[in-house]
Amino acid sequence: PKFRRIGIFSALYHHVESLARSVVGVRGLRLYVENNNKRAQKTYEALGMVDPNYKVMQAIFDEPSC
């Protein structure tokens, strides 16, 4: 917690965004965030990210199927 709100994530995000924009064919960035993590969502929104209105569905297996 002592490293929150000092700009570390913003700096990392801007660096990754810059790298992504420099690659031909990259169309954007996607970030997964838990529905109840409102603090993180506010951070991402402040950086210009938007909710695309998708829901992620998954099936988790305990052991590899090999």
Side-chain angles (χ1 to χ4, degrees), residues 6-56:
I6 62 172
I8 295 171
F9 179 79
S10 293
L12 288 170
Y13 177 84
H14 289 301
H15 179 69
V16 169
E17 180 184 32
S18 175
L19 293 173
R21 287 180 181 275
S22 72
V23 177
V24 174
V26 173
R27 302 288 298 157
L29 299 173
R30 183 168 289 160
L31 181 72
Y32 292 89
V33 59
E34 293 183 359
N35 288 325
N36 63 348
N37 192 343
K38 301 301 182 191
R39 176 184 286 174
Q41 291 173 33
K42 282 186 173 188
T43 297
Y44 307 149
E45 289 169 357
L47 291 168
M49 299 187 90
V50 297
D51 181 352
N53 245 359
Y54 287 102
K55 184 170 181 107
V56 175

